[in-house]
Amino acid sequence: MSAKIRVRWPDGAICGICFREAAHTYGVCAGCGDDRLLPGRDEHAKPICRDCAGITTNMTCDRCGVEAERFRNGQCARCVIEADLTELLKPTTPPDLRIKRLIQVFVESTRPESIYTWMRGEKAHELLRKIGDRELDLTPEAFNALPRGHSVEHLREILIHNRLMVAPADRHLAIFEGWVDARLRELQPDPDVASIIEQYARWHHLNRLRERVGVANMDIACRNARQQITEAGKFLIWVEQARERTVATFHQEDIDAYLDGAVTTRFQIKHFIGWFARGRGGSRKLYVPPRKAITLPTLTQAQRIQAIRNAVEFEQVALSTRVAALIHLLWATPLTRIVRLTADQLELRPDGMFIRLGVNVSEIPEPLAPMFWRQLEDRDGMTTNTGTDWLFPGYRAGRHLSVPTLQQRLNTLGIDPQRTRNTTLKQLTALIDVASLSDLLGYSPKTLAQHAERSGSHMARYVDAKQHAHRP
């Protein structure tokens, strides 16, 4: 099925997709040298302006006079969303400087067309209407009272990132607290389960997490807590339904039956069972048996090399995905750390480009350095997420890319993070001593010592690995 032709220019018929790309191409014209919109192409396929290309299509906004696609009624997308938001948010009735600033944030976004699509959605439009009618204050308390949803969190992050709303002490903890409330509401039909899970979630996990703010990686800590709470609830419901026992009466054989041949996630109940057995299980002796070891999943070195080649050559895949893949493939950096990399961890020196993953820097191979440099320069590509320090900004303002999103994107390159990590560490520990590798990669010596043993390192290196692994 051929694309629908939108317009005909001197260089041929232009479909809607190509027209949109042309209407968003700016720079210095290869013909006249002017810095302006470059919708045309010369005989060498270099971008040129309308005048040099002989394009007569009107591509000037009737309202602001800027060269751009005429989005609606002869106006560009920025002017359209500014008019629509002004009508919806009513920044002058009564006057509110924060609302005026919010409108500017949307208007100045890198992709105003995406803002237009978002604000026309039912939930987003209703939020904006409530702000305009002054039914919704721009305060954490007002947003906490709203039902959780994508539109609410997206708008909250925009307000916080642009200092239009006070940020919580820790964003991940605030999200976790809301998640606990929602989870307990889901368990209300089963009051016995809900009661013990509330104690586990609030008295144990929440207290511990609050003590770790500013010390631990709260994103990972909150994710782990959510999984442990979720799996504990699933186990207790299974005990009631499959074993016809309760929180007060289940025994060790129930735990053994639940874990027999189970998937890995079920073993997450270990933390809950340990907590429950300390004074809440009565005289019952409860524990989670060790999970049986499985074969360590790995790739062949040829498969790893092919994955690196794909990351370099698949130009149809987003640059950010390819750069993140190379960091994972070359240095076995976990996805949880990749998403949290900041721009200042890339260093350009006279002798090359380097990345700091541990105490010492690692040199980026010279042929790959241009890709890393382009990522550093072009990382402000998201709609409202500009001006951040993250090397891989996420969709929401002020946030880095999420781990699930990165993992999903790496799938487009055929990368299995667990296999890739194991293979890369196996290769590296066979070549570099644990102490040096620990300083380069930021891994603990203990972890690297385990991979060194699997890699078949010669005895002297393996002994050195063990010594470093046991240092305090």
Side-chain angles (χ1 to χ4, degrees):
M1 181 178 178
S2 58
K4 183 177 180 180
I5 301 303
R6 175 164 176 174
V7 67
R8 293 185 183 276
W9 285 345
D11 55 349
I14 308 298
C15 70
I17 296 175
C18 292
F19 178 86
R20 192 172 301 111
E21 181 181 354
H24 288 77
T25 302
Y26 293 86
V28 177
C29 175
C32 63
D34 287 348
D35 191 351
R36 55 184 295 194
L37 181 68
L38 306 176
R41 296 291 184 272
D42 65 12
E43 63 273 17
H44 303 295
K46 293 182 178 180
I48 54 177
C49 67
R50 286 187 296 157
D51 295 337
C52 291
I55 296 173
T56 58
T57 303
N58 188 352
M59 302 181 73
T60 302
C61 176
D62 290 344
R63 182 180 180 188
C64 67
V66 169
E67 279 191 304
E69 178 182 2
R70 289 156 65 89
F71 190 74
R72 189 183 73 193
N73 297 333
Q75 297 182 7
C76 67
R78 297 188 191 280
C79 288
V80 168
I81 65 173
E82 183 175 21
D84 289 357
L85 285 170
T86 299
E87 180 181 356
L88 188 59
L89 294 178
K90 307 178 184 70
T92 59
T93 52
D96 191 323
L97 292 177
R98 291 180 302 168
I99 293 180
K100 288 183 179 180
R101 173 59 184 148
L102 179 60
I103 293 175
Q104 281 304 114
V105 167
F106 285 129
V107 171
E108 295 169 2
S109 66
T110 56
R111 299 176 190 170
E113 296 86 356
S114 298
I115 296 296
Y116 180 81
T117 301
W118 174 77
M119 61 185 279
R120 286 173 61 86
E122 181 180 351
K123 294 180 179 179
H125 188 274
E126 180 62 14
L127 281 174
L128 296 172
R129 183 200 64 77
K130 287 183 177 181
I131 294 174
D133 292 343
R134 306 306 189 262
E135 296 176 15
L136 176 62
D137 294 331
L138 303 185
T139 63
E141 294 75 20
F143 272 70
N144 289 342
L146 295 172
R148 293 184 62 81
H150 174 77
S151 294
V152 172
E153 296 308 315
H154 181 54
L155 184 54
R156 187 205 303 265
E157 297 296 342
I158 291 173
L159 292 168
I160 292 174
H161 180 59
N162 291 279
R163 300 181 180 179
L164 300 174
M165 179 188 290
V166 177
D170 183 88
R171 175 175 53 81
H172 298 292
L173 181 60
I175 294 173
F176 177 76
E177 290 173 338
W179 179 87
V180 168
D181 292 338
R183 180 61 180 153
L184 292 177
R185 285 194 295 270
E186 293 173 357
L187 294 174
Q188 282 180 354
D190 195 327
D192 289 342
V193 173
S195 177
I196 194 65
I197 291 298
E198 181 172 18
Q199 296 176 45
Y200 180 54
R202 294 195 191 282
W203 298 356
H204 178 70
H205 276 296
L206 261 178
N207 285 342
R208 289 180 68 248
L209 289 171
R210 285 167 179 157
E211 293 173 355
R212 299 177 71 187
V213 170
V215 178
N217 182 327
M218 294 301 291
D219 183 16
I220 296 176
C222 289
R223 287 178 186 273
N224 290 340
R226 280 199 297 270
Q227 187 171 43
Q228 290 168 2
I229 293 168
T230 298
E231 293 302 325
K234 289 180 180 179
F235 167 69
L236 294 177
I237 291 172
W238 177 86
V239 163
E240 290 188 346
Q241 295 177 351
R243 309 287 284 189
E244 297 183 350
R245 291 181 178 171
T246 67
V247 174
T249 61
F250 79 85
H251 291 286
Q252 182 63 40
E253 57 264 30
D254 300 310
I255 297 175
D256 295 339
Y258 185 70
L259 297 177
D260 184 31
V263 296
T264 303
T265 53
R266 283 198 174 187
F267 282 84
Q268 290 289 332
I269 67 169
K270 179 177 182 179
H271 186 272
F272 168 76
I273 295 298
W275 170 84
F276 183 78
R278 293 192 296 271
R280 296 167 185 82
S283 58
R284 289 172 287 173
K285 293 183 178 180
L286 305 171
Y287 67 95
V288 171
R291 184 165 60 94
K292 293 181 180 179
I294 58 175
T295 302
L296 193 70
T298 60
L299 304 172
T300 64
Q301 181 65 353
Q303 289 173 321
R304 176 172 170 252
I305 295 299
Q306 183 59 52
I308 294 174
R309 183 177 292 113
N310 293 345
V312 174
E313 297 178 352
F314 284 11
E315 295 187 359
Q316 69 271 28
V317 177
L319 177 65
S320 60
T321 300
R322 294 158 58 207
V323 170
L326 287 171
I327 295 173
H328 183 60
L329 288 161
L330 295 175
W331 296 287
T333 308
L335 305 195
T336 53
R337 288 177 54 200
I338 291 177
V339 297
R340 296 180 64 83
L341 291 174
T342 54
D344 60 6
Q345 288 179 257
L346 288 182
E347 301 178 14
L348 186 61
R349 301 178 178 179
D351 55 339
M353 196 169 192
F354 298 80
I355 185 169
R356 185 177 296 278
L357 301 170
V359 177
N360 298 328
V361 295
S362 300
E363 183 175 6
I364 297 171
E366 185 177 354
L368 305 181
M371 293 177 61
F372 283 77
W373 178 253
R374 292 207 314 274
Q375 173 61 24
L376 188 63
E377 291 292 291
D378 300 338
R379 59 198 173 88
D380 275 353
M382 302 310 293
T383 310
T384 54
N385 195 5
T386 58
T388 72
D389 294 328
W390 302 119
L391 184 59
F392 302 103
Y395 176 69
R396 291 182 181 172
R399 298 271 293 276
H400 57 67
L401 193 67
S402 70
V403 173
T405 298
L406 178 56
Q407 184 157 0
Q408 185 178 28
R409 292 182 181 180
L410 292 185
N411 288 341
T412 63
L413 292 171
I415 294 175
D416 181 327
Q418 185 181 16
R419 292 178 182 274
T420 301
R421 174 178 176 271
N422 292 335
T423 301
T424 303
L425 288 179
K426 179 180 179 181
Q427 294 292 327
L428 292 175
T429 52
L431 298 172
I432 306 173
D433 66 274
V434 163
S436 300
L437 199 58
S438 176
D439 288 342
L440 282 174
L441 305 185
Y443 275 97
S444 71
K446 181 179 180 180
T447 297
L448 294 178
Q450 293 170 346
H451 284 274
E453 182 178 7
R454 297 187 185 106
S455 70
S457 298
H458 60 76
M459 187 56 64
R461 178 176 292 157
Y462 177 63
V463 170
D464 181 62
K466 284 293 187 181
Q467 291 174 343
H468 280 88
H470 289 90
R471 286 182 183 178

